[in-house]
Amino acid sequence: MDDLQKRAVEADDLGDLPAAFELWKECAKSDVDGISSLKYGRVALELEKWEESEEAFHQALHFLPEFYLVKALMGMLWVKRTDKDETESLQTAKEWFLKALENKKIAPTLTLLGAAYAHLDDFVAAKEAFEEAINLDPNYEEALCNLALIVRKTDLQKSRGLLERAVQIDPNYKKAHHALGGVCQKMKDFDRAEFHYQRCLEIDPADYWSNLYLANLLGVTKRNDEAEQTYRLATELRPDLAGGFEFFARFLESSGKVAEAAEERAKIPLSEREATRLL
């Protein structure tokens, strides 16, 4: 490893992405095995430099045409990029994940493929991909959580079981705790629903959605003072989101606080008010 590569690795290890980007970019200019290009593309992806990332991954593929990781990262790029049509990008991502799986079939790539299918509304294919991922790795919590989100529309009990397995594997998996809170609430198990929303907030106190869902739960269970306080916190966290104000206003109206409800609705930008009628 030459001095330039050592400096690039050090910047990467320190989390100094701008420095790592510039250093790996220089390393990639004299790449002979594809590794520097791969690392350059990965850092560019993290920095949302879409074109640079794509170009770097293509260069890496020139040296590493059968390496699954390059293709999986290319798929991740097409999932995340915002400079192209969303549906076309997801279709492209799906194709790259399929190519990666031809080289190496592992649970993380199958889960990424399943997520791409889900975003494309192909829930049958998504379910199959998540199930295959779990067959390969029964303890891959991300696949468990994603499968739970697919099946919760038709089988709440199965969804709950999958999510409970996911949070046992990773007790700090906020996404799974949040989904489990919602499933428990639908099943009228309000104590467990509150537990999982509170776990989300232990992990991230500034999580808007968990505050909003907890506020709704508190309202459903007639703990109105706590609900009002939590709704206020949620809307303070994300004053740019109209939905929180609308849900808060409806809660206030149900509590007989019509004037206060009007005050909350007045905080919704005019451009957003029409959309709240659909909530």
Side-chain angles (χ1 to χ4, degrees):
M1 184 183 295
D2 63 25
D3 181 63
L4 186 61
Q5 289 175 319
K6 287 180 181 178
R7 288 163 55 206
V9 170
E10 288 173 1
D12 236 340
D13 290 343
L14 290 170
D16 187 348
L17 293 179
F21 173 81
E22 295 298 335
L23 290 164
W24 283 124
K25 183 177 181 179
E26 285 301 309
C27 292
K29 290 178 181 178
S30 55
D31 201 352
V32 294
D33 58 10
I35 300 302
S36 292
S37 296
L38 176 61
K39 293 183 177 182
Y40 169 42
R42 176 188 53 76
V43 175
L45 173 57
E46 291 188 55
L47 291 171
E48 300 185 355
K49 295 179 181 290
W50 314 125
E51 294 290 347
E52 291 95 328
S53 182
E54 183 180 3
E55 183 178 340
F57 288 146
H58 277 299
Q59 183 168 323
L61 280 170
H62 174 74
F63 295 102
L64 302 163
E66 302 302 318
F67 189 24
Y68 81 95
L69 183 58
V70 186
K71 298 172 185 179
L73 284 168
M74 186 75 90
M76 291 174 66
L77 162 65
W78 281 94
V79 166
K80 293 182 177 183
R81 69 188 306 165
T82 57
D83 60 335
K84 304 287 185 181
D85 176 79
E86 182 179 7
T87 300
E88 291 180 6
S89 292
L90 286 167
Q91 290 284 3
T92 303
K94 179 190 74 174
E95 296 303 322
W96 279 110
F97 293 139
L98 288 168
K99 290 176 182 177
L101 289 164
E102 289 176 2
N103 296 132
K104 186 173 184 179
K105 189 167 286 190
I106 55 174
T109 309
L110 281 162
T111 303
L112 289 167
L113 175 64
Y117 277 129
H119 285 302
L120 289 165
D121 295 332
D122 189 346
F123 298 111
V124 173
K127 183 172 180 288
E128 290 175 355
F130 295 139
E131 287 174 339
E132 189 173 358
I134 293 165
N135 285 336
L136 285 175
D137 183 354
N139 293 318
Y140 192 58
E141 66 271 27
E142 211 170 319
L144 292 165
C145 181
N146 279 281
L147 179 58
L149 296 177
I150 295 289
V151 304
R152 68 180 171 182
K153 294 181 181 179
T154 55
D155 192 338
L156 284 172
Q157 191 61 53
K158 181 176 181 179
S159 181
R160 180 172 181 168
L162 291 164
L163 290 166
E164 286 175 344
R165 283 171 59 192
V167 297
Q168 281 182 337
I169 294 163
D170 182 358
N172 293 319
Y173 191 3
K174 187 178 73 170
K175 177 182 174 181
H177 278 293
H178 183 83
L180 188 48
V183 168
C184 289
Q185 186 168 348
K186 285 181 180 293
M187 298 178 76
K188 310 298 183 185
D189 189 347
F190 298 130
D191 288 343
R192 293 305 294 172
E194 181 177 356
F195 170 82
H196 290 291
Y197 292 143
Q198 293 286 11
R199 277 294 292 124
C200 290
L201 294 173
E202 288 174 10
I203 297 164
D204 179 8
D207 180 11
Y208 167 80
W209 292 107
S210 294
N211 275 293
L212 192 62
Y213 276 64
L214 176 60
N216 172 264
L217 175 65
L218 292 168
V220 168
T221 54
K222 308 301 181 184
R223 292 155 65 183
N224 288 358
D225 289 345
E226 292 174 76
E228 183 171 342
Q229 181 180 359
T230 308
Y231 270 121
R232 290 196 187 282
L233 176 57
T235 54
E236 287 169 4
L237 286 169
R238 291 299 303 270
D240 56 313
L241 295 180
F245 292 109
E246 179 60 27
F247 289 125
F248 187 17
R250 293 182 188 182
F251 163 76
L252 290 169
E253 287 173 337
S254 71
S255 305
K257 298 183 177 182
V258 178
E260 290 92 331
E263 290 176 7
E264 293 304 318
R265 283 202 177 94
K267 298 175 183 177
I268 300 173
L270 285 172
S271 60
E272 299 287 332
R273 290 184 189 178
E274 186 64 32
T276 61
R277 296 181 186 179
L278 302 175
L279 294 174

